[in-house]
């Protein structure tokens, strides 16, 4: 390593966050600039650990010690070459990934782990600034045509890889702009959309064709796509949200979290919204139901709307402050996490169930009926069950309830039904190990195949699907393969 003793000499440091009182006035990214010298110091903390478990934590298999070493040596071009060889979009993952690689860092056993995500982000930004990232059309075209349906991270990764292999790639997106979850799901304060547009420009210059407002199965006919392309990859994501079918669900003011987030992202992107469809948290008592990242994004957006109050509730028990013994290193740790949105203001509550949405005479939501939950065991040896604690029912004010309780599967009506692809027991598109569905020329990747997951997993799946499509079309491939010898797929879904 460039600095064998760096992990003993330097502490973990991250860029400063903008003052919460100031940043809630805009949708700009949260962090102050981090100088190259500081990034190099953080890279020096990467120790000569022998077995780099960070590889097992990263779904992409990023070659982390090598790019850290290159950054420490100030060889940014080499660092970019190493990073981009395994990750098509480190400018995305360096901003929004929960960094399971850091949870698996060997240094993290008894010290703060290496700041891998921040280093990754800075490598990507330096690469763009210095012109290391530039359009490179494939020298030879194969004559094969591939349709990628869905332009989220899985679809974009698959498209870029297949274009590099020389195939002609068309990406179909039902929304008005390309990007999927990156565009309309993730708030701008976590990922400003110029970052997405910058990457899309490179892909367009390389020959990838993007078709927006193209809903395959509706205004684009499935038989036409099947006839016009040699292979198809389904990357439409897990789009059907999990509902909460309790009394009062029909009331005005109860919305799915993604409808709320998508609408706000659309506003920032200049998209017009009909007044009767607008969802605002301004001046309201907001309750976010669900304790995950999507719920956190709702908290941050509600803060920027100037909500009267924001409460986030989770049905599971409060996680411990430190890593739980049930998830020892190098697994993804079970522990309490506080997001930047929580720092801006939120009342967080755990082990609560929502029993009823309560409305007024006009059908407007005015409050929630909730109750405390607890793990109980009815008999020795039986698995504990989560049950309501008697006498804990209460009502809290709420004019806007946001359901952030996950997604169940992709949309079945339309394209999936017309294609006739087999589904798995969870309702996802079923695929073999090579990502091929029950329809031979149709492949699938990302959340549509594996269920709701992370952007980094979606990129990984898109890359692997592209590799297998290349083999299907030509009999071989030169696209990079993920090293799965150390990959611990149980670290984080």
């Amino acid at each position: 390593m460039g600095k064998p003793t760096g992990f003993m000499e330097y502490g973990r440091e991250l860029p400063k966050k903008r003052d919460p009182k100031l940043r809630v006035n805009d949708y700009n990214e949260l962090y102050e600039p981090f100088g190259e010298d500081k990034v190099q110091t953080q890279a020096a903390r990467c120790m000569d650990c022998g077995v780099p478990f960070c590889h097992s934590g990263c779904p992409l298999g990023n070659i982390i010690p090598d790019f850290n070493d290159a950054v420490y040596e100030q060889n940014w071009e080499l660092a970019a070459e190493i990073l981009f060889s395994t990750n098509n979009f480190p400018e995305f993952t360096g901003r929004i990934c929960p960094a399971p690689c850091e949870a698996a860092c060997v240094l993290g056993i008894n010290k703060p782990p290496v700041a891998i995500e921040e280093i990754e982000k800075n490598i990507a930004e330096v690469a763009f600034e210095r012109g290391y990232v530039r359009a490179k059309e494939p020298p030879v075209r194969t004559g094969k045509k591939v349709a990628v349906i869905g332009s989220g991270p899985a679809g974009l990764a698959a498209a870029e890889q297949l274009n590099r292999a020389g195939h002609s790639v068309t990406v179909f997106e039902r929304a008005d702009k390309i990007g999927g979850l990156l565009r309309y799901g993730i708030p701008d304060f976590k990922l400003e959309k110029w970052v997405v547009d910058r990457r899309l420009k490179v892909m367009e210059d390389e020959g990838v064709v993007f078709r927006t407002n193209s809903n395959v199965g509706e205004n684009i006919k499935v038989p036409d796509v099947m006839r016009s392309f040699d292979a198809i990859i389904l990357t439409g994501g897990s789009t059907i949200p999990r509902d909460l079918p309790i009394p009062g669900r029909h009331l005005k003011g109860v919305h799915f979290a993604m409808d709320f987030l998508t609408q706000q992202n659309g506003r920032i992107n200049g998209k017009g919204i009909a007044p009767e469809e607008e969802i605002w948290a301004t001046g309201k008592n907001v309750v976010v139901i669900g304790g995950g990242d999507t719920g956190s994004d709702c908290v941050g957006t509600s803060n920027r709307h100037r909500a009267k109050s924001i409460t986030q509730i989770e049905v599971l028990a409060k996680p411990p402050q430190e890593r739980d013994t049930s998830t020892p290193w190098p697994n993804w740790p079970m522990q309490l996490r506080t997001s930047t949105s929580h720092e801006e203001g939120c009342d967080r509550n755990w082990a609560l169930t929502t029993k009823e949405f309560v409305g007024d005479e006009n059908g407007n939501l005015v409050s929630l009926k909730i109750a405390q939950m607890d793990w109980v065991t009815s008999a020795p040896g039986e698995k504990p069950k989560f049950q309501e604690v008697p006498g804990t029912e209460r009502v809290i004010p709420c004019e806007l309830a946001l359901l952030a309780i996950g997604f169940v599967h992709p949309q079945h009506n339309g394209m999936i039904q017309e294609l006739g692809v087999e589904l798995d027991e969870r309702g996802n598109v079923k695929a073999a190990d090579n990502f091929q569905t029950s329809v031979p020329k149709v492949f699938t990747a990302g959340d549509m195949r594996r269920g709701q997951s992370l952007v980094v997993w979606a990129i990984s799946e898109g890359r692997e699907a592209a590799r297998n499509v290349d083999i299907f079309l030509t009999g071989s491939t030169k696209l990079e393969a993920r090293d799965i010898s150390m990959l611990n797929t149980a670290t984080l879904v």
Side-chain angles (χ1 to χ4, degrees):
M1 305 301 295
K3 182 74 168 176
T5 59
F7 71 97
M8 296 186 291
E9 299 175 24
Y10 309 121
R12 177 182 168 97
E13 184 181 1
L14 295 174
K16 293 181 180 179
K17 289 174 278 191
R18 295 193 292 132
D19 186 334
K21 293 180 181 179
L22 298 178
R23 68 187 191 227
V24 294
N25 296 312
D26 59 53
Y27 289 86
N28 299 332
E29 288 187 18
L30 307 171
Y31 295 94
E32 302 285 357
F34 203 49
E36 288 185 17
D37 56 334
K38 291 191 174 183
V39 181
Q40 291 161 7
T41 298
Q42 292 306 300
R45 297 185 69 238
C46 187
M47 60 193 293
D48 188 5
C49 58
V51 179
F53 277 83
C54 53
H55 288 196
S56 72
C58 177
L60 285 161
N62 285 340
I63 311 169
I64 294 164
D66 294 54
F67 70 60
N68 281 339
D69 186 44
V71 168
Y72 174 73
E73 297 292 345
Q74 301 183 44
N75 192 339
W76 290 92
E77 187 168 12
L78 175 60
E81 180 182 338
I82 295 167
L83 178 55
F84 282 108
S85 72
T86 58
N87 185 353
N88 297 70
F89 314 125
E91 67 271 29
F92 302 158
T93 56
R95 287 173 164 85
I96 59 177
C97 184
C101 55
E102 294 185 15
C105 173
V106 173
L107 183 58
I109 294 175
N110 59 1
K111 288 188 176 184
V114 176
I116 300 169
E117 183 181 23
E118 184 61 28
I119 296 168
E120 181 177 303
K121 172 188 171 182
N122 279 273
I123 292 172
E125 291 307 311
V126 169
F128 273 101
E129 289 169 10
R130 299 187 182 181
Y132 304 151
V133 180
R134 52 187 178 272
K136 299 176 184 176
E137 282 200 68
V140 178
R141 288 290 180 182
T142 64
K144 300 292 185 180
K145 298 169 64 179
V146 182
V148 176
I149 303 175
S151 70
L156 293 179
E160 185 167 79
Q161 291 295 98
L162 286 165
N163 184 69
R164 289 173 176 174
H167 308 303
S168 297
V169 181
T170 300
V171 179
F172 293 88
E173 170 55 55
R174 64 182 179 180
D176 62 334
K177 290 188 177 182
I178 295 294
L181 176 76
L182 300 167
R183 171 78 61 185
Y184 285 123
I186 297 171
D188 282 50
F189 53 79
K190 291 172 65 175
L191 177 66
E192 291 187 42
K193 301 312 175 250
W194 64 264
V195 179
V196 180
D197 292 333
R198 179 179 63 182
R199 171 58 63 178
L200 295 177
K201 177 64 167 60
V202 174
M203 293 179 66
E204 282 185 316
D205 291 346
E206 291 177 338
V208 177
V209 175
F210 294 114
R211 292 184 59 180
T212 57
N213 298 306
S214 300
N215 194 343
V216 178
E218 290 193 12
N219 62 338
I220 303 293
K221 303 301 181 184
V222 169
D224 292 345
V225 177
M226 289 289 287
R227 182 173 54 253
S228 302
F229 292 89
D230 300 294
I232 298 167
I233 307 181
L234 308 179
T235 56
S238 181
T239 55
I240 303 300
R242 182 172 286 107
D243 208 343
L244 189 58
I246 59 175
R249 174 62 182 86
H250 65 284
L251 292 169
K252 300 171 188 175
V254 184
H255 299 277
F256 289 118
M258 199 51 66
D259 292 340
F260 177 64
L261 296 174
T262 297
Q263 193 176 101
Q264 181 55 45
N265 281 1
R267 285 191 192 97
I268 298 172
N269 275 262
K271 186 175 182 179
I273 302 165
E276 66 274 12
E277 296 178 358
E278 288 196 306
I279 308 171
W280 287 98
T282 309
K284 297 177 182 177
N285 294 293
V286 178
V287 178
V288 179
I289 302 173
D293 289 340
T294 301
S296 172
D297 293 344
C298 289
V299 170
T301 302
S302 296
N303 274 312
R304 284 157 179 76
H305 280 195
R306 296 295 189 271
K308 182 178 180 180
S309 71
I310 305 170
T311 302
Q312 185 176 24
I313 62 176
E314 165 62 51
V315 71
L316 297 177
K318 183 177 181 179
Q321 292 283 350
E322 304 297 332
R323 182 192 288 265
D324 190 73
T325 55
S326 65
T327 53
W329 176 90
N331 293 296
W332 178 251
M334 170 62 74
Q335 67 183 85
L336 180 65
R337 293 175 175 82
T338 300
S339 73
T340 54
S341 293
H342 296 139
E343 293 171 356
E344 295 162 0
C346 175
D347 180 20
R348 304 174 73 186
N349 297 269
W350 288 266
L352 287 176
T353 184
T354 307
K355 300 186 67 176
E356 183 180 352
F357 299 107
V358 182
D360 63 15
E361 63 277 6
N362 297 316
N364 298 308
L365 178 68
V366 295
S367 60
L368 296 187
K369 187 179 292 184
I370 61 175
Q372 203 72 34
M373 301 290 285
D374 196 10
W375 288 103
V376 296
T377 304
S378 56
E382 284 192 6
K383 289 184 66 175
K385 296 180 180 179
F386 219 37
Q387 295 183 357
E388 181 181 333
V389 179
T392 62
E393 185 176 286
R394 65 186 189 274
V395 175
I396 60 174
C398 175
E399 295 84 42
L400 177 62
L402 300 171
L403 306 183
I405 50 181
F407 296 82
V408 290
H409 52 63
Q411 179 181 319
H412 295 161
N413 295 336
M415 177 187 68
I416 287 179
Q417 287 184 345
E418 284 194 56
L419 285 170
V421 292
E422 188 177 347
L423 304 178
D424 66 17
E425 64 279 0
R426 296 186 297 162
N428 299 316
V429 177
K430 188 175 183 179
D433 290 343
N434 66 349
F435 296 82
Q436 191 172 33
T437 72
S438 56
V439 179
K441 69 187 289 185
V442 179
F443 293 71
T444 186
D447 290 4
M448 184 169 272
R449 185 191 80 92
R450 67 178 290 121
Q452 179 186 356
S453 189
L454 303 174
V455 167
V456 67
W457 267 115
I459 297 171
S460 176
E461 292 243 329
R463 289 172 61 90
E464 292 302 303
R467 192 170 186 276
N468 283 283
V469 169
D470 193 26
I471 294 171
F472 171 79
L473 293 175
T474 67
S476 62
T477 186
K478 293 183 179 180
L479 294 175
E480 298 89 347
R482 179 179 63 196
D483 181 6
I484 61 172
S485 61
M486 287 183 57
L487 187 64
N488 180 3
T489 57
T491 55
L492 189 61
V493 295

